[in-house]
Amino acid sequence: SYDSATSSLHPDKFDHEHISKLEEFSQDLEKAIANSFPRPSTSYTSVHVLLLRWADDDLNVQVELSSLKAVFENQYLFAAEQWDIPSLNPTRALQTKLYDFQNSHQSEDELLIVYYGGHADADRRRGRSIWAAYRQPPSGVADITNK
């Protein structure tokens, strides 16, 4: 039978030494855990964000993108740029912008983030994305291929 008076596992009185040993154990455990896992480290010297939206769309994502841009710049201190996809020759303009964005940040220690706010669909047969200014596009469709 269990006798709480003689049990060292559950003492009847409060033992301050027990608490200090528990704190010491806790600190040792934290150190062991910290040393057991690789420390997350970033190898990026800079981060650049390109936020894309249609100049003329039916989603009105301007406010959303402006807020997101502010978060990237103010909270994370990333360089962020918002760019509007034009309705006239959108595919060529977008491909040029993406090429220029990538080309201007060619270092392996630079992280590039591209965010698109707009309608999109997957063309699985051709392995590409279709971005559109409108749900039912009257014009303004960008074909982003996997080239």
Side-chain angles (χ1 to χ4, degrees), residues 2 6 19 24 30 41 45-48 52 54 69 74 94 120 127 139:
Y2 176 77
T6 59
I19 295 298
E24 183 180 324
E30 285 181 28
S41 65
T45 58
S46 61
V47 179
H48 304 274
L52 302 171
W54 288 92
K69 182 177 186 277
N74 300 327
L94 181 57
S139 62

Side-chain angles (χ1 to χ4, degrees), residues 78-130:
F78 295 165
E81 172 189 359
Q82 184 176 323
W83 189 76
D84 294 346
I85 303 167
S87 295
L88 184 62
N89 297 320
T91 301
R92 183 177 299 263
L94 181 57
Q95 287 173 339
T96 300
K97 180 61 181 178
L98 291 171
Y99 173 81
D100 291 346
F101 180 65
Q102 184 179 10
N103 197 41
S104 64
H105 307 290
Q106 291 188 351
S107 176
E108 289 185 14
D109 62 350
E110 292 178 287
L111 175 64
L112 304 181
I113 299 172
V114 176
Y115 177 90
Y116 169 68
H119 296 287
D121 199 4
D123 182 350
R124 296 188 201 302
R125 186 172 52 89
R126 294 184 182 165
R128 63 183 185 168
S129 295
I130 307 271

Side-chain angles (χ1 to χ4, degrees), residues 44-64:
Y44 300 115
T45 58
S46 61
V47 179
H48 304 274
V49 181
L50 178 61
L51 302 152
L52 302 171
R53 68 176 284 271
W54 288 92
D56 183 29
D57 70 10
D58 64 354
L59 291 176
N60 300 315
V61 296
Q62 174 63 38
V63 174
E64 172 192 331

